Amino acid sequence: MRPTGKLHLGNYMGALANWVKLEKSGQYECYFFVADWHALTTDYADPSRIKLNTLDVALDWLAAGLDPEKSTIFIQSHVLQHAELNLLLGMMTPLGWLERVPTYKEQQENLSTKDLTNFGFLGYPVLMASDILLYQAQFVPVGQDQSAHVELTRETARRFNSMYKTAVFPEPDALFTPSPKLTGTDGRKMSKSYGNTIGLTEATPSVAAKIASMSTNGQRLRQTDPGDPDLCPVGDLHKVFSAPEVIEATRTGCRTASLRCEFCKAEATKSVCSVTGPIYDKRMQLESNIEQTWEMLRAQSIKAAARAEETMREVRDVFDLSHELGFVKQYFQAKAQIWLHNLESHFFDQNWEHRPEAEQKKSIRTSWIQLVKRDAHLKFEANRSFDSVEREIEEPAITPKGKRVFVDSNRIYPAKSLDQVWHFAIPQKSFEVWVLLNLNENRETKLLAGDSYVIPQRYFSQPFAKAKKSLRKDEKIPVSLRKDGDRFLLSIHGSEPVDVTALRGNYEPLQ
Ligand code: SF4
């Protein structure tokens, strides 16, 4: 319910009385909240009464019998998950759905004194859907006029569940509230904007005065004329608030002109006040200790937030925004383990130095291909996209020009100095890409971590060509990779070092 201030009899009969019944039935676990954010969708220009109105509404609820021991009664803006879900559902809600909501145009026309061309007002049905779906609600107790909103909520739940192949949100059903016709003092629908309301917690003399001056809708202009109580707003009040015998007596008296309107109205006042009197008394009692109600609302908001958070964990997980590291942690752990395993199996092999060179090459090459495949597999797990992975596995080490990558590393050993250096030698062939693999010891943890580089030709072509000229044809070109702080510098046969830090772990050229 929006915080529009103290409730009137129309609000009471149209919603609140039914909520109290639902709660009392014990059939449902109920959540009732004051929708202060919704109020701002239309009252954003003057928010000065939001808190006061919020308390007025909550006090009327409690006075009318809602019980925080049985239901969760809270303030929407105190449960930030409403806003978070609103934002996330907003991502997947088509604009057309919002523009088609019947109340969107109606309200813009009815509230013509306010500028309702704002984003918040257009999106309020998404906020409403969030309010409902956040508690994975099965039912929403609403009047018929709200059925379009519940339908949009159902569509949102369906779209979310099918788009993300999940079942986070049940589709809620409307639990239509029987809302008896209750006209205002001037014969029109009871509404604050018409100034024709009778307050739920209005003092008896004020209620009596309002009913006494109530329009009879043209009935019994002369008291000697018979009237039709079905056409008179006072007749409506009797139908809703009076005991059956009083209804019967006043109807007969009206039809036969044997009951004067003022007596009929006095009876209606008695009937209304027999319902609203105890509510008024309770409200006065609650108002004497407003902090207690405010603290209750805050505590209940925390309770609601805990329930809302359960849903949000599922929703964040769906959008891959989970606060847990989860799969990502496994991804990096697996990556580190496989990488180390691959390297260790080669470089910590006691016989490695004595193996034939061809065998060493083959071993490193196999390791590289496995590495790329594993990387592709992990990418698949992360992206859940199969096509690109298939391609990567089929073509594990292919350059953009379709050539296979040469992988060789016949001497790699870090120097035991503060700045590590890896030395190795490369044959004088022409290569598009170098793939360098090395082991890097973390100085603090003493753990080995794998480093890999995919270095395109433009990084090494000039010093490489220069080295070729200065060496014999059968000599390999000495290369070193030096760690300088956080940077990695590649030096070819004594040439100026090239910074290849950014190329570390970068497999992209192989795609
Ligand atoms: S008797 Fe009562 S119901 Fe009939 S017209 Fe008068 S006020 Fe209305």
Side-chain angles (χ1 to χ4, degrees):
M1 196 180 277
R2 285 182 180 220
T4 47
K6 284 184 170 187
L7 304 188
H8 54 69
L9 293 183
N11 304 134
Y12 178 65
M13 294 314 301
L16 182 54
N18 187 51
W19 294 3
V20 175
K21 258 190 240 156
L22 289 174
E23 182 191 88
K24 285 218 167 96
S25 78
Q27 254 186 291
Y28 307 97
E29 184 195 348
C30 301
Y31 288 78
F32 301 111
F33 67 90
V34 187
D36 51 354
W37 274 332
H38 278 286
L40 288 174
T41 62
T42 51
D43 298 342
Y44 58 90
D46 177 17
S48 58
R49 292 180 65 88
I50 295 284
K51 193 175 288 170
L52 182 62
N53 287 351
T54 296
L55 261 168
D56 265 337
V57 167
L59 286 168
D60 277 353
W61 289 359
L62 298 176
L66 283 189
D67 182 356
E69 296 288 320
K70 293 185 185 145
S71 305
T72 310
I73 300 170
F74 62 99
I75 300 173
Q76 184 189 29
S77 70
H78 289 212
V79 181
L80 299 180
Q81 287 84 350
H82 286 250
E84 186 184 1
L85 186 57
N86 174 50
L87 178 110
L88 292 174
L89 294 182
M91 304 294 176
M92 42 147 279
T93 305
L95 267 184
W97 285 15
L98 303 176
E99 286 158 349
R100 278 198 299 274
V101 171
T103 46
Y104 178 61
K105 283 264 148 45
E106 272 168 36
Q107 289 268 60
Q108 277 188 330
E109 282 158 22
N110 291 345
L111 302 175
S112 54
T113 52
K114 293 178 182 169
D115 179 3
L116 294 183
T117 53
N118 52 322
F119 170 61
F121 182 65
L122 175 68
Y124 86 82
V126 182
L127 182 58
M128 212 178 248
S130 307
D131 299 333
I132 298 164
L133 297 176
L134 193 52
Y135 301 93
Q136 295 168 316
Q138 287 172 289
F139 300 103
V140 200
V142 288
Q144 285 285 353
D145 56 338
Q146 295 284 312
S147 61
H149 293 129
V150 178
E151 193 44 49
L152 191 132
T153 304
R154 291 167 59 83
E155 279 184 75
T156 305
R158 272 199 295 276
R159 186 173 168 87
F160 180 92
N161 289 344
S162 92
M163 188 176 274
Y164 305 113
K165 298 179 181 51
T166 181
V168 172
F169 296 129
E171 283 181 44
D173 283 315
L175 205 60
F176 288 120
T177 305
S179 42
K181 179 176 157 228
L182 204 61
T183 38
T185 50
D186 60 358
R188 291 186 290 173
K189 186 187 171 200
M190 192 179 283
S191 163
K192 274 202 178 144
S193 49
Y194 296 140
N196 64 1
T197 59
I198 297 172
L200 175 62
T201 50
E202 210 164 313
T204 305
S206 172
V207 175
K210 280 188 178 174
I211 295 178
S213 65
M214 215 163 163
S215 144
T216 57
N217 199 20
Q219 299 300 299
R220 308 201 51 203
L221 294 176
R222 283 179 308 205
Q223 290 297 298
T224 48
D225 294 340
D228 183 350
D230 289 331
L231 300 177
C232 173
V234 182
D236 291 335
L237 280 183
H238 277 297
K239 273 187 241 165
V240 174
F241 293 99
S242 295
E245 58 279 10
V246 177
I247 298 175
E248 195 43 47
T250 48
R251 289 173 76 81
T252 310
C254 178
R255 288 201 168 106
T256 57
S258 61
L259 175 68
R260 291 184 64 84
C261 284
E262 58 256 48
F263 292 120
C264 177
K265 287 174 175 179
E267 281 297 323
T269 303
K270 258 199 261 170
S271 299
V272 168
C273 290
S274 70
V275 173
T276 62
I279 299 176
Y280 172 80
D281 292 343
K282 181 80 195 291
R283 165 135 190 161
M284 288 298 112
Q285 195 192 329
L286 288 165
E287 279 188 17
S288 67
N289 188 356
I290 202 68
E291 288 94 341
Q292 196 181 14
T293 299
W294 187 248
E295 281 314 309
M296 179 280 289
L297 288 169
R298 286 177 47 156
Q300 293 264 303
S301 299
I302 292 170
K303 186 177 154 205
R307 174 62 188 86
E309 183 60 16
E310 284 175 28
T311 308
M312 283 317 297
R313 267 193 231 120
E314 291 182 57
V315 174
R316 288 188 208 112
D317 213 31
V318 165
F319 283 111
D320 208 13
L321 300 170
S322 153
H323 292 187
E324 308 301 323
L325 253 180
F327 171 76
V328 177
K329 185 175 168 190
Q330 289 162 23
Y331 172 93
F332 285 106
Q333 277 176 349
K335 196 170 166 178
Q337 277 164 12
I338 295 171
W339 177 229
L340 267 181
H341 173 77
N342 284 344
L343 288 185
E344 281 169 0
S345 62
H346 299 303
F347 302 119
F348 294 98
D349 178 347
Q350 296 292 321
N351 297 320
W352 174 259
E353 290 290 325
H354 308 294
R355 287 185 188 280
E357 193 177 322
E359 201 180 303
Q360 288 181 345
K361 279 186 190 174
K362 192 177 168 205
S363 180
I364 291 173
R365 184 182 176 76
T366 307
S367 170
W368 168 249
I369 290 170
Q370 277 171 357
L371 187 73
V372 175
K373 277 188 183 178
R374 186 263 309 154
D375 214 52
H377 176 69
L378 289 176
K379 257 189 217 165
F380 165 63
E381 289 293 326
N383 298 333
R384 299 176 184 95
S385 143
F386 199 70
D387 293 350
S388 63
V389 175
E390 275 285 88
R391 206 167 53 241
E392 280 182 55
I393 291 176
E394 287 308 307
E395 304 168 19
I398 301 289
T399 71
K401 290 184 182 167
K403 294 196 176 168
R404 301 176 81 184
V405 176
F406 179 80
V407 183
D408 187 10
S409 176
N410 51 3
R411 289 289 184 277
I412 298 184
Y413 46 93
K416 290 290 176 194
S417 67
L418 273 182
D419 289 325
Q420 296 174 19
V421 186
W422 293 266
H423 298 282
F424 43 96
I426 288 189
Q428 294 184 25
K429 291 183 189 169
S430 179
F431 306 112
E432 270 187 53
V433 174
W434 284 357
V435 176
L436 308 182
L437 312 173
N438 70 358
L439 276 182
N440 181 16
E441 189 184 66
N442 184 307
R443 268 183 234 161
E444 277 148 34
T445 61
K446 296 287 167 207
L447 288 174
L448 287 170
D451 279 318
S452 64
Y453 301 83
V454 175
I455 302 179
Q457 204 178 58
R458 67 175 183 280
Y459 282 85
F460 59 79
S461 58
Q462 281 189 7
F464 195 68
K466 214 166 130 192
K468 266 160 82 171
K469 275 189 197 157
S470 67
L471 291 168
R472 281 202 323 273
K473 275 223 156 69
D474 58 340
E475 268 185 306
K476 286 189 172 175
I477 298 177
V479 178
S480 67
L481 185 68
R482 181 161 68 84
K483 193 167 182 216
D484 178 19
D486 290 336
R487 297 188 312 150
F488 288 85
L489 303 172
L490 183 79
S491 183
I492 297 164
H493 193 36
S495 295
E496 269 301 288
V498 180
D499 189 347
V500 292
T501 312
L503 302 173
R504 188 153 64 127
N506 179 8
Y507 302 91
E508 292 313 312
L510 297 183
Q511 304 305 309

